[in-house]
Amino acid sequence: MYEDVFRELYKNKVRYIVVGGIAVNLYGVPRMTADLDLMVDLEKENVLKLVNILRSLAYVPKIPENPENLANQEKREEWKKKNMKAFTFWNTKKPYKQIDILIENIMDFDEAYNRREKVKAEGFEIYLASIDDLIEIKRKSGRKQDLCDIEALKKVRDLRTM
Amino acid sequence: MRYRSLKKGKGFAYYVTKEQIREYMKLSPELKLKWLEEANEFIWKYGKNKEIREKFREGEI
């Protein structure tokens, strides 16, 4: 699931961190999820690199918008006014795959990126928000599954310090 | 692991033990992603059948 995406993001040095259920799963919680939630460096060049990679892997926007507008701050401001939180891409070959790009970063990206967890896979790395950042993000979201994620992540943290 | 659906739009709740986490942590990232891929593909193919969906969610499948 999303291995091709992670591989390309790594190869092309895209600055991102995984912040949703996939991150919780990769930390070691056997939790189901389908969406890949990404917080990215919203600097134009980085966003355009990401958009091109997603396009090459058969991901298209869920809304009728030019995906390159994601790199445009004015556009993002416009979307925020419409209560949009993320720009969603879905995969035309496997429609259950959906990638949400946060249009406003919920914490300072550079700081979160510096604290990121690097998960080593065969030939690439996956960047996750640190456990503490993930807990903080989930605390802000506050849905039932986020509270369950927090409890599970605390268990992961305990196990890692044992 | 137990999943429990909440009212529509309210998300879900789940519980995992430390032992389940300890075991799952041993898997490589590739295997974890594969587990997700297979589970999602299964739900996508058979999820319209409510009985199968609920059994899957309850960990019976």
Side-chain angles (χ1 to χ4, degrees):
Chain A
M1 190 91 166
Y2 304 117
E3 203 178 308
D4 52 349
V5 175
F6 291 129
R7 198 178 286 280
E8 287 302 310
L9 294 180
Y10 178 73
K11 202 169 97 184
N12 290 282
K13 298 185 171 63
V14 174
R15 282 161 50 86
Y16 76 94
I17 46 179
V18 186
V19 293
I22 300 267
V24 177
N25 184 291
L26 285 170
Y27 268 117
V29 180
R31 167 225 206 276
M32 260 299 289
T33 186
D35 305 347
L36 173 61
D37 300 317
L38 298 181
M39 185 161 94
V40 305
D41 181 349
L42 291 168
E43 184 267 328
K44 192 174 178 181
E45 192 188 339
N46 191 61
V47 175
L48 291 178
K49 257 197 294 191
L50 168 74
V51 167
N52 283 332
I53 289 168
L54 295 183
R55 187 185 284 137
S56 73
L57 295 172
Y59 285 88
V60 296
K62 207 169 179 182
I63 55 169
E65 275 280 356
N66 180 347
E68 289 178 1
N69 284 339
L70 189 53
N72 180 329
Q73 194 181 347
E74 282 177 22
K75 263 286 178 190
R76 292 198 304 267
E77 290 300 325
E78 198 181 294
W79 295 336
K80 274 191 270 177
K81 283 179 192 156
K82 294 176 186 169
N83 283 329
M84 199 167 134
K85 305 273 183 223
F87 191 95
T88 303
F89 290 86
W90 67 279
N91 190 287
T92 53
K93 291 175 183 164
K94 295 191 170 180
Y96 56 86
K97 289 185 182 179
Q98 192 165 289
I99 301 178
D100 290 332
I101 312 293
L102 298 184
I103 58 170
E104 181 177 32
N105 288 337
I106 32 194
M107 54 179 60
D108 183 275
F109 180 81
D110 288 333
E111 288 177 12
Y113 190 73
N114 287 338
R115 290 189 293 264
R116 75 193 183 279
E117 175 99 1
K118 296 175 185 174
V119 175
K120 289 192 191 314
E122 197 67 42
F124 64 101
E125 288 180 350
I126 304 169
Y127 302 142
L128 310 181
S130 71
I131 290 189
D132 289 344
D133 284 347
L134 204 46
I135 287 175
E136 186 54 33
I137 292 165
K138 298 237 156 237
R139 193 171 282 138
K140 282 179 186 163
S141 294
R143 297 165 304 172
K144 193 73 187 169
Q145 65 262 39
D146 294 312
L147 303 179
C148 296
D149 286 339
I150 291 172
E151 289 313 305
L153 286 167
K154 284 179 180 170
K155 288 176 186 168
V156 171
R157 200 167 51 187
D158 288 350
L159 286 167
R160 284 157 61 116
T161 53
M162 280 167 75
Chain B
M1 179 176 57
R2 306 296 288 181
Y3 275 92
R4 187 164 54 87
S5 296
L6 303 175
K7 280 183 186 171
K8 196 174 178 186
K10 299 281 183 187
F12 61 92
Y14 72 92
Y15 178 79
V16 279
T17 64
K18 264 191 178 175
E19 196 46 50
Q20 287 169 319
I21 292 173
R22 196 195 316 271
E23 286 306 307
Y24 195 69
M25 279 171 86
K26 290 176 188 167
L27 300 184
S28 68
E30 287 93 338
L31 277 177
K32 290 180 188 132
L33 293 173
K34 191 165 182 257
W35 180 80
L36 280 175
E37 173 99 53
E38 287 175 358
N40 277 298
E41 191 138 0
F42 180 86
I43 289 174
W44 184 55
K45 281 182 184 164
Y46 305 108
K48 282 178 187 157
N49 182 319
K50 196 180 172 194
E51 193 184 349
I52 290 177
R53 194 172 63 234
E54 290 305 317
K55 280 187 176 178
F56 183 83
R57 189 169 277 151
E58 292 298 320
E60 292 172 23
I61 296 178

